[in-house]
């Protein structure tokens, strides 16, 4: 359905020239510098490139978004948004972040069909538009762990106006896809079935929201299949290995995401906050708690801000006795060596989403004009050993202890 909508818009460009069409866009020119030889910064887990200490990274935070909006009659409109950003794309349609047809039968009811935003965050609708939020980048502790941006399907929202505030409710369903990457590989992850809902209460100076999503994973990543197949080669020495191996499958796994967030304006101060929880019964998806709190102070065209962010999750550790019942003494030398490699693989797969870190940020924003802003931000992140999921590991170095990373961000954000 989404691909059909995208093709329809492309073929309709000539006729749209005489219609009620609005073209707009947004972008960001960014540079990142950090002081770590072990961990490289990335915006989210889909990015498979980064720079270590001594190198400037001009790719991670730089992007250009182009958006076309068509207004039909009073009931119909449509939006197509293309995002140009260096990243591995599996298909042409992956450049399209939005592509939906909206039907508005009443002033309070919206029905969108096609590629719509995945409504999991406080700033879901403008997650990619850096100009729209105060920081140099959205807090990684919440926004970096979920690489999925859209749902190919439908969402329905209803707004109920009340005396002093409004209440927005939304339900959605569909599918999604994204790469999960490291410096060594990038793997396509598909969620065949996503369902979710959100509720938002908003007044003139505050807003609070709660969101829930449930996703069913469609296939095993390549790395997971390699691990499972490798484990099964030990069957002559490990009769129960197949049962053990299936614990690491991502195919048909179910994960839940729930969050609560809000914003509060008090004179020149604005406070933001989000708390989120990822949970699953599957070993391949570690339970994860995350959140951030931020305060921004405005002085004319300037803003200064600070924020605190965190992630926290348990870690899986391979145990021959507790998990497997495997008798190490019965293994020949070659099988024992293979098991040592597979042990590392099981921990890597099971702990991929096991992020544990704390970040303190300070920064400022200068609104150069109504459509352009210059941002500067400094992060200090304490990364626990084994909890570096949000970062890219240097394949030439091994990190076996807690680590502190300082990262500096300089961005020019704009809209047009």
């Amino acid at each position: 359905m989404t691909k059909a909508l995208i093709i329809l818009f492309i073929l309709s460009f000539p006729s749209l020239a005489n219609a009620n069409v609005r073209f707009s866009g947004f972008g960001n020119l960014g540079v990142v510098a950090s002081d770590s030889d072990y961990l490289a910064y990335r915006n989210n887990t889909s990015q498979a490139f980064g720079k270590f200490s001594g190198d400037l990274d001009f790719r991670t935070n730089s992007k250009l978004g182009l958006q076309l909006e068509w207004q039909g009659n009073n009931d119909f409109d449509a939006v197509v948004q293309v995002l140009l950003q260096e990243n591995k794309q599996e298909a042409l349609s992956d450049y399209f972040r939005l592509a939906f047809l909206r039907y508005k039968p009443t002033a309070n009811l919206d029905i969108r069909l096609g590629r719509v935003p995945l409504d999991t965050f406080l700033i879901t609708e403008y997650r990619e538009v850096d100009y729209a939020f105060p920081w140099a980048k959205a807090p990684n502790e919440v926004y970096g762990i979920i690489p999925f941006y859209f749902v190919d399907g439908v969402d329905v929202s209803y707004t109920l106006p009340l005396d002093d505030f409004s209440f927005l409710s939304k339900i959605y369903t569909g599918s999604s896809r994204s790469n999960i990457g490291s410096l060594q590989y990038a793997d396509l992850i598909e969620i065949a079935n996503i369902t979710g809902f959100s509720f938002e209460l908003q007044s003139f100076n505050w807003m609070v929201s709660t969101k829930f999503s449930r996703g069913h994973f469609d296939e095993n990543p390549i790395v997971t299949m390699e691990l499972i197949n490798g484990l099964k080669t030990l069957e002559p020495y490990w009769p129960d290995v197949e049962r053990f191996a299936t614990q690491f499958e991502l195919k048909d796994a179910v994960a839940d995401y729930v969050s609560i967030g809000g914003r509060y304006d008090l004179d020149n101060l604005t406070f933001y906050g989000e708390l989120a929880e990822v949970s699953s019964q599957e070993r391949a998806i570690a339970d994860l708690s995350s959140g951030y709190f931020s305060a921004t102070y405005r002085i004319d065209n300037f803003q200064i801000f600070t924020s605190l962010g965190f992630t926290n999750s348990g870690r899986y550790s391979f145990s021959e006795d507790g998990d497997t019942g495997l008798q190490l003494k019965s293994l020949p030398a070659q099988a024992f060596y293979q098991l040592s490699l597979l042990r590392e693989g099981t921990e890597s797969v099971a702990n991929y989403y096991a992020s544990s870190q704390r970040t303190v940020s300070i920064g400022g924003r200068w609104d150069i004009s109504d459509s352009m802003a210059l941002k500067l931000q400094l992060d200090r992140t304490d990364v626990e050993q084994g909890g570096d999921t949000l970062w890219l590991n240097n394949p030439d170095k091994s990190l076996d202890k807690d680590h502190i990373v300082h990262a500096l961000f300089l961005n020019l954000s704009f809209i047009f």
Side-chain angles (χ1 to χ4, degrees):
M1 174 62 72
T2 302
K3 291 182 179 179
L5 280 173
I6 292 171
I7 293 172
L8 178 63
F9 272 98
I10 294 175
L11 295 177
S12 301
F13 279 164
S15 61
L16 288 175
N18 298 319
N20 187 10
V21 174
R22 178 176 178 266
F23 176 75
S24 61
F26 58 90
N28 195 63
L29 299 176
V31 59
V32 183
S34 68
D35 63 354
S36 176
D37 293 324
Y38 297 89
L39 301 177
Y41 171 81
R42 58 177 172 176
N43 258 328
N44 61 71
T45 53
S46 71
Q47 292 183 329
F49 54 84
K51 297 290 187 179
F52 298 95
S53 177
D55 292 320
L56 296 178
D57 181 1
F58 292 93
R59 301 187 299 170
T60 297
N61 279 348
S62 296
K63 69 183 75 167
L64 178 64
L66 305 173
Q67 183 162 306
L68 191 67
E69 301 173 56
W70 168 75
Q71 182 64 54
N73 55 31
N74 293 332
D75 296 337
F76 288 95
D77 68 325
V79 172
V80 170
Q81 183 187 101
V82 175
L83 184 71
L84 305 176
Q85 185 177 32
E86 187 165 345
N87 214 344
K88 182 179 180 181
Q89 308 293 348
E90 298 291 336
L92 178 63
S93 62
D94 290 342
Y95 289 96
F96 288 80
R97 284 294 166 88
L98 300 176
F100 61 80
L101 178 68
R102 174 164 38 206
Y103 173 52
K104 198 174 181 67
T106 69
N108 299 335
L109 181 63
D110 278 34
I111 303 171
R112 300 189 297 188
L113 176 66
R115 178 160 291 182
V116 299
L118 175 60
D119 193 8
T120 50
F121 303 111
L122 185 68
I123 60 172
T124 288
E125 295 290 336
Y126 52 95
R127 178 182 177 185
E128 292 282 17
V129 185
D130 297 72
Y131 180 85
F133 49 77
W135 320 286
K137 43 88 178 177
N140 278 52
E141 282 73 17
V142 170
Y143 290 83
I145 199 69
I146 304 295
F148 303 98
Y149 283 82
F150 56 78
V151 172
D152 289 335
V154 60
D155 68 15
V156 180
S157 58
Y158 182 78
T159 303
L160 177 65
L162 302 171
D163 290 340
D164 298 321
F165 48 85
S166 62
F167 176 73
L168 172 66
S169 60
K170 180 189 293 184
I171 58 173
Y172 56 89
T173 186
S175 62
S176 191
R177 53 185 277 155
S178 176
N179 283 309
I180 302 291
S182 72
L183 290 176
Q184 289 80 31
Y185 70 91
D187 218 345
L188 180 65
I189 303 294
E190 296 185 272
I191 303 181
N193 182 18
I194 298 177
T195 56
F197 61 82
S198 65
F199 301 108
E200 180 179 300
L201 200 60
Q202 182 169 350
S203 183
F204 73 96
N205 68 331
W206 59 265
M207 183 265 284
V208 63
S209 68
T210 183
K211 303 173 187 291
F212 173 84
S213 299
R214 170 167 291 176
H216 299 252
F217 290 83
D218 194 30
E219 297 290 342
N220 283 315
I222 295 174
V223 172
T224 301
M225 287 307 304
E226 290 176 348
L227 170 66
I228 293 173
N229 292 334
L231 285 168
K232 289 180 179 179
T233 63
L234 294 174
E235 190 170 6
Y237 319 102
W238 187 356
D240 202 27
V241 68
E242 185 167 354
R243 180 200 63 79
F244 176 78
T246 56
Q247 298 179 76
F248 300 94
E249 290 208 31
L250 195 61
K251 182 179 180 180
D252 299 327
V254 177
D256 292 338
Y257 181 92
V258 61
S259 71
I260 182 169
R263 188 199 73 247
Y264 180 68
D265 296 319
L266 178 64
D267 297 328
N268 290 340
L269 279 168
T270 299
F271 300 95
Y272 298 87
E274 282 183 84
L275 295 172
E277 184 86 20
V278 177
S279 60
S280 176
Q281 299 297 317
E282 311 299 330
R283 179 153 282 167
I285 305 173
D287 291 347
L288 173 73
S289 300
S290 62
Y292 72 88
F293 302 93
S294 178
T296 301
Y297 184 74
R298 294 178 300 279
I299 309 172
D300 297 328
N301 293 333
F302 296 90
Q303 298 180 48
I304 55 174
F305 58 82
T306 184
S307 65
L308 302 173
F310 73 92
T311 59
N312 185 54
S313 59
R315 289 185 57 78
Y316 166 76
S317 180
F318 183 94
S319 170
E320 290 86 355
D321 296 328
D323 266 334
T324 69
L326 177 64
Q327 299 297 320
L328 295 181
K329 294 180 181 179
S330 66
L331 291 178
Q334 183 178 357
F336 186 85
Y337 173 72
Q338 185 178 359
L339 176 63
S340 66
L341 298 178
L342 292 171
R343 172 178 180 169
E344 183 179 341
T346 60
E347 293 183 351
S348 176
V349 169
N351 294 322
Y352 185 84
Y353 289 99
S355 174
S356 295
Q357 66 177 51
R358 308 288 182 273
T359 298
V360 179
S361 305
I362 58 172
R365 167 179 172 146
W366 173 32
D367 289 330
I368 301 172
S369 68
D370 291 337
S371 59
M372 186 176 296
L374 186 66
K375 304 179 184 181
L376 181 67
Q377 180 171 331
L378 176 65
D379 284 3
R380 182 189 189 277
T381 304
D382 293 82
V383 185
E384 293 185 13
Q385 179 185 350
D388 52 16
T389 294
L390 294 174
W391 303 80
L392 290 168
N393 295 93
N394 190 335
D396 298 325
K397 294 181 179 292
S398 178
L399 184 60
D400 57 1
K401 59 182 180 180
D402 295 353
H403 190 58
I404 296 176
V405 186
H406 297 89
L408 183 67
F409 306 87
L410 178 63
N411 289 353
L412 182 65
S413 303
F414 55 90
I415 55 176
F416 57 89

